Amino acid sequence: MLIKRPDDCPSSSITPRELFERRRDFIKTGAGLALAALLPTAQAAEKLAGRPSLYSSDETQTPYKHVTGYNNFYEFGTDKEDPAANAHRLQTQPWTLRIEGLVQKPKTFDIDQLRKLAPLEERIYRLRCVEGWSMVIPWVGYPLAALLRQVEPLGSAKYVEFISAVQAENMPGVRDRVLGWPYVEGLRLDEARHPLTLLALGLYGEVLPKQNGAPIRIVVPWKYGFKSGKSIVRIRFTDTEPLTSWVEANRREYGFYSNVNPQVDHPRWSQKRERRLGEFGKRDTQLFNGYSEVAPLYAGMDLKRSF
Amino acid sequence: MRRYLPLLKPLLFLLCLVPVARLGWGLAHDTLGANPIEFLTRSLGTWTLNFLLITLSVTPLRKLSGWHWLMQLRRMLGLYAFFYGLLHLSSYLWLDQFFDWGEIGRDILKRPFITAGMTAFLLMAPLAVTSTNAMIRRLGGQRWQSLHRLVYAVALLGVLHYAWLVKKDVSQPILYGTILLGLLGFRVVVWLRSQKRQAAVPKRKIIPIVNRS
């Protein structure tokens, strides 16, 4: 019996063999591209480069995924993964930073002004969390002192208060009264003016991811991480010690200074050692997180009492 | 249901191993996040508490449902609580302190949450040791039962250990505490009722007489 088959398949429509054999790759790539177009996180972040700094550490940097995936930012939830999951809702445009209090010239800056205020530097700093873990993060920013100069502080100003944003509708954590909102942090004026104290606008060569405190944050590398306020909207010069959020929450366990200090335990856990993320063992914690150049700031102070 | 027990028991045994298997797999494939060791220690602690609460819910569940065969599973569940507690403690001794006994000793004395956790574990150990049939016979039912009431203290200390550990957000420890109080409260209610019933027994004999007169 003769089976007649219509000759309806022109050779032009036959897939070349090498393409046919790679069909799975083709589908994968196509699906990947389609997915990338859907995901906002897959969009390339805006670059923000800074020139190298002598203040940088040469230690191994903590991988980007951990720096941006393991965060304490209670406005977005108390789990370490919450900020990465929820912070995309933070509204960062427009954003203004108001500087006021005991100053000659109170001023309001927008982000463009802040970016141009001083040359951007890359500062690779250790970050030690009060919970006993640490990271090494390449920040992009400039000394906070450069900004503080702009408003001409009065002689009576002794402290600087940093107030973080509250966007109740975008911040699921603010609904829980875990801390008093807005999040408030503070430094003594000489600490705030120390060349190590950074106003950060980026990390890893790009603008700050939202879970890391976009669009502007403070970085004080010799103090526990919570001293470095995120998503700052207001800076206030005062003559009295600011009541910071953690001191307000638990005066017995958190002090205003909160310098990294292996000799001063948190009442509930030891601060002698820390686990650098990515390492199996623990390292000894260094006084002032290894930034011994800040020691003169505390000359004559009892660091056990002023913890 | 009772006739399915020979099947149910091994199934439950395997099911109880799922959390530790998942942690092992996650550790091997690096899927436990940025701080895998902390995640491991915390998860083992959470599962110790979970198994304590599950074990403590056997009796209320049995009394409410009438499924007496549930009793046949209680020992295994309790031993799993001890198993996870042992792993949790080991991860602290090894991965947190690297067997620095001086530091561990100071921790136990100075840190209330460690004191509570360590006490809970020490109280749990004799319960695990006396869990065999031979030990029950040797101790005698009454004494065995009195000893095993320690599990209430173990669970309370466990929740306290958790509550004292967290930095600020106590919602999870409160959830555990609420469930535990519910489970213990059930026992108190049952006990009070049995007291009342015993007290009511002679009264019932008297009341009809009074009524008649």
Side-chain angles (χ1 to χ4, degrees):
Chain A
M1 193 173 114
L2 183 75
I3 297 172
K4 276 213 154 186
R5 240 181 55 190
D7 189 19
D8 59 357
C9 193
S11 62
S12 64
S13 71
I14 296 172
T15 308
R17 183 188 172 127
E18 69 269 24
L19 264 186
F20 172 78
E21 284 172 344
R22 281 171 43 215
R23 66 198 183 280
R24 280 161 201 265
D25 295 340
F26 179 75
I27 291 165
K28 270 188 223 155
T29 319
L33 285 174
L35 205 64
L38 287 173
L39 287 173
T41 46
Q43 287 171 11
E46 198 188 330
K47 294 275 170 262
L48 194 72
R51 59 180 192 194
S53 162
L54 290 173
Y55 288 107
S56 282
S57 156
D58 56 2
E59 288 164 272
T60 310
Q61 294 168 33
T62 304
Y64 178 87
K65 66 168 180 177
H66 294 335
V67 171
T68 58
Y70 189 79
N71 310 99
N72 277 325
F73 196 169
Y74 278 16
E75 284 87 332
F76 295 103
T78 52
D79 282 346
K80 296 285 182 297
E81 292 75 22
D82 286 343
N86 299 328
H88 63 92
R89 289 160 64 184
L90 179 74
Q91 206 52 250
T92 55
Q93 281 170 330
W95 193 279
T96 54
L97 171 64
R98 172 84 183 154
I99 309 189
E100 58 188 25
L102 302 173
V103 296
Q104 290 280 3
K105 298 181 183 165
K107 273 187 190 166
T108 304
F109 298 87
D110 65 27
I111 290 302
D112 283 338
Q113 291 169 315
L114 287 173
R115 275 191 197 160
K116 289 175 195 143
L117 201 87
L120 292 173
E121 299 172 35
E122 181 178 71
R123 296 266 184 112
I124 304 165
Y125 280 166
R126 293 178 288 277
L127 177 136
R128 167 64 153 84
C129 179
V130 71
E131 295 163 354
W133 51 267
S134 60
M135 296 187 183
V136 179
I137 305 173
W139 302 104
V140 179
Y142 49 77
L144 178 66
L147 174 68
L148 300 185
R149 262 201 300 279
Q150 304 282 320
V151 294
E152 298 174 25
L154 297 174
S156 53
K158 295 279 179 291
Y159 297 91
V160 191
E161 187 178 49
F162 306 97
I163 298 150
S164 297
V166 180
Q167 296 178 4
E169 67 284 9
N170 301 328
M171 295 173 157
V174 168
R175 274 166 239 151
D176 309 322
R177 305 294 301 171
V178 179
L179 290 172
W181 312 111
Y183 189 82
V184 173
E185 256 312 331
L187 295 172
R188 225 168 50 193
L189 192 52
D190 55 345
E191 296 176 319
R193 279 174 166 162
H194 193 277
L196 278 172
T197 305
L198 202 68
L199 184 87
L201 296 142
L203 59 78
Y204 264 109
E206 58 178 59
V207 298
L208 269 183
K210 290 183 175 177
Q211 60 269 35
N212 295 89
I216 26 167
R217 65 168 294 166
I218 309 297
V219 179
V220 196
W222 71 91
K223 291 173 181 279
Y224 294 118
F226 66 87
K227 288 298 290 180
S228 300
K230 299 185 180 78
S231 304
I232 304 289
V233 290
R234 216 144 56 87
I235 296 179
R236 225 162 59 87
F237 286 76
T238 65
D239 53 1
T240 51
E241 188 182 284
L243 178 59
T244 65
S245 290
W246 279 102
V247 171
E248 187 189 14
N250 196 335
R251 191 173 287 279
R252 206 177 67 83
E253 298 188 2
Y254 300 94
F256 175 76
Y257 287 96
S258 293
N259 292 315
V260 175
N261 189 341
Q263 298 307 316
V264 178
D265 285 348
H266 184 279
R268 285 182 294 157
W269 54 81
S270 164
Q271 295 291 26
K272 286 197 185 69
R273 283 179 293 180
E274 67 199 56
R275 175 167 281 118
R276 179 72 48 88
L277 292 191
E279 291 181 357
F280 179 72
K282 286 190 167 184
R283 343 172 133 226
D284 288 338
T285 289
Q286 308 293 319
L287 179 63
F288 302 125
N289 203 17
Y291 296 96
S292 51
E293 59 263 53
V294 300
L297 291 174
Y298 310 103
M301 273 175 69
D302 179 355
L303 295 175
K304 286 195 171 150
R305 291 190 52 146
S306 307
F307 62 90
Chain B
M1 199 62 207
R2 188 177 280 273
R3 66 200 158 106
Y4 295 117
L5 265 178
L7 188 67
L8 194 62
K9 261 187 153 172
L11 272 179
L12 184 67
F13 182 87
L14 291 175
L15 191 67
C16 294
L17 284 171
V18 168
V20 69
R22 282 186 55 174
L23 286 171
W25 194 90
L27 214 53
H29 295 81
D30 195 20
T31 61
L32 300 185
N35 200 346
I37 293 174
E38 189 191 73
F39 186 90
L40 178 81
T41 308
R42 294 267 172 112
S43 300
L44 290 170
T46 306
W47 278 103
T48 309
L49 274 179
N50 290 347
F51 275 103
L52 277 169
L53 294 186
I54 293 170
T55 309
L56 284 172
S57 56
V58 167
T59 296
L61 212 61
R62 175 179 66 92
K63 288 194 171 152
L64 291 173
S65 66
W67 298 341
H68 297 293
W69 52 268
L70 281 173
M71 274 317 259
Q72 304 289 320
L73 307 173
R74 192 175 66 172
R75 168 163 50 190
M76 191 205 296
L77 292 167
L79 280 171
Y80 263 113
F82 179 71
F83 170 72
Y84 279 95
L86 186 64
L87 290 180
H88 177 59
L89 173 68
S90 311
S91 75
Y92 161 75
L93 295 178
W94 178 26
L95 304 172
D96 221 40
Q97 296 289 10
F98 295 91
F99 305 111
D100 181 340
W101 299 108
E103 198 57 37
I104 292 164
R106 272 189 291 279
D107 243 10
I108 295 172
L109 294 176
K110 270 173 75 177
R111 324 232 174 269
F113 89 96
I114 303 261
T115 317
M118 204 58 84
T119 313
F121 180 79
L122 289 179
L123 294 180
M124 206 162 31
L127 308 194
V129 170
T130 58
S131 66
T132 61
N133 287 338
M135 281 308 278
I136 298 171
R137 268 196 304 276
R138 241 173 88 178
L139 281 169
Q142 280 288 329
R143 271 197 295 169
W144 184 88
Q145 204 178 9
S146 312
L147 176 68
H148 280 248
R149 290 220 170 92
L150 276 177
V151 71
Y152 305 144
V154 170
L156 284 167
L157 284 165
V159 171
L160 209 58
H161 168 67
Y162 190 12
W164 281 342
L165 152 83
V166 296
K167 219 163 85 180
K168 198 70 192 40
D169 183 3
V170 287
S171 53
Q172 282 289 323
I174 285 178
L175 179 67
Y176 276 91
T178 310
I179 296 173
L180 177 62
L181 289 184
L183 293 171
L184 297 184
F186 177 88
R187 290 166 165 82
V188 173
V189 170
V190 169
W191 180 78
L192 284 175
R193 278 196 182 167
S194 73
Q195 293 293 100
K196 226 191 233 168
R197 219 175 294 132
Q198 277 176 8
V201 170
K203 268 190 203 154
R204 262 190 214 132
K205 281 176 187 163
I206 297 162
I207 289 164
I209 302 166
V210 175
N211 279 351
R212 261 181 232 142
S213 63

